Amino acid sequence: MLAQRVVTAIGIVAVLALVLFVLPPAFAVSGLALIVLAGAWEWAQLAGLDRPVARMAYLTVCAVAMAALWSSTAGTAAFERAMLVTMIGWLPLFAWITFAPGRGARALVALAGVWALVPMWLALGRLYLQPDHGRDLVIFVLVLAWAADIGAYFAGRRFGRLRLAPSVSPNKTWEGVLGGLLAGLLVAFAGRAWFGLQGGAFLSLCVAAVLVSIVGDLLESMFKRQRGLKDSGNLLPGHGGMLDRIDSLTSSVPLLALGLGWLGLVS
């Protein structure tokens, strides 16, 4: 399984390299949108929309929401407000995970998917279009989240004893959280040097993003558990579905985009 995961990961990196480094900017942002919409297709199943027509309708809603949010956040202030509202909206989602796992109407699950996926795409697109270092910012936020995932995976397997959220995701442990934080912090130090930053604000932002990414991961895990699914799909052999690879990004990327704006890296 590990070998299959590695092979698939190489394929994912190759596709992302094509999107970020080969395609013209407009097509690259559209390519990121297709990745997010692939996640929306899987989220529709989590919301109980099993019929293809219903899933296509959900995909259409997400696409329209993406276009509307993009056009309404052209200015820096509007974009930052959108990211701030997005992060505030994650508070009730965190409360849902904590106090009422397994409960909630399917309509709320569908709404949660729109809230999670649409702002994430907006944040990735705006980061990518930053002059001079847009690609670097996108690469950094992806590497930060995925390094934290990898650190949590291996630390949890090797040292995991204390369950983090057994009613939501029995395999996640506090030891895994610490492993993810350590891996994320190493990437954060590299990122600070990469962008020529000083002080601890950037490192604090990255630590906060790693912690918040766990909420995105747990949210998807909760919905999968409600539906009796191990993976969100089978698009990526060894990894599951697209959502299984971008779930932690749904909560961390908007926070990073907001914080990087406050640090002067996003205009």
Side-chain angles (χ1 to χ4, degrees):
M1 179 63 72
L2 181 59
Q4 189 178 54
R5 289 174 69 93
V6 170
V7 171
T8 302
I10 293 172
I12 294 172
V13 170
V15 171
L16 283 173
L18 173 65
V19 170
L20 297 178
F21 291 98
V22 178
L23 297 180
F27 287 95
V29 173
S30 298
L32 293 172
L34 290 176
I35 292 173
V36 173
L37 288 174
W41 176 266
E42 296 171 355
W43 201 294
Q45 184 182 20
L46 300 184
L49 303 175
D50 296 320
R51 295 176 59 189
V53 173
R55 295 175 80 171
M56 282 302 302
Y58 185 72
L59 220 63
T60 302
V61 169
C62 289
V64 170
M66 291 162 72
L69 191 59
W70 184 274
S71 63
S72 64
T73 57
T76 301
F79 174 72
E80 289 188 351
R81 281 196 300 271
M83 294 298 99
L84 182 58
V85 170
T86 296
M87 295 316 301
I88 292 173
W90 274 97
L91 294 176
L93 293 177
F94 177 66
W96 189 355
I97 297 167
T98 305
F99 299 111
R103 302 178 185 177
R106 291 180 177 180
L108 291 178
V109 178
L111 180 61
V114 176
W115 194 272
L117 294 170
V118 173
M120 177 192 66
W121 169 75
L122 173 66
L124 287 173
R126 285 295 292 269
L127 289 175
Y128 176 79
L129 293 177
Q130 293 304 301
D132 301 326
H133 52 247
R135 291 188 183 93
D136 294 345
L137 289 172
V138 172
I139 292 170
F140 174 76
V141 300
L142 295 178
V143 170
L144 178 67
W146 290 339
D149 281 348
I150 293 170
Y153 174 78
F154 285 105
R157 284 178 63 88
R158 177 63 179 85
F159 304 107
R161 295 292 185 275
L162 301 175
R163 302 299 177 185
L164 174 64
S167 62
V168 175
S169 183
N171 292 328
K172 290 182 174 58
T173 64
W174 285 104
E175 292 85 354
V177 171
L178 293 177
L181 278 173
L182 178 58
L185 195 57
L186 293 175
V187 173
F189 274 108
R192 188 173 69 166
W194 189 356
F195 297 116
L197 300 173
Q198 301 295 325
F202 179 77
L203 298 179
S204 299
L205 172 64
C206 292
V207 169
V210 169
L211 292 174
V212 167
S213 73
I214 299 171
V215 181
D217 193 339
L218 288 175
L219 184 70
E220 190 224 359
S221 295
M222 180 177 72
F223 294 149
K224 286 192 299 185
R225 192 169 180 82
Q226 283 181 254
R227 294 282 289 165
L229 300 173
K230 179 180 181 295
D231 298 316
S232 63
N234 54 13
L235 180 64
L236 306 172
H239 291 258
M242 184 61 70
L243 274 180
D244 296 316
R245 290 280 55 82
I246 65 174
D247 53 3
S248 59
L249 298 173
T250 57
S251 51
S252 64
V253 171
L255 177 62
L256 283 166
L258 181 62
L260 290 172
W262 289 344
L263 292 174
L265 291 176
V266 177
S267 59

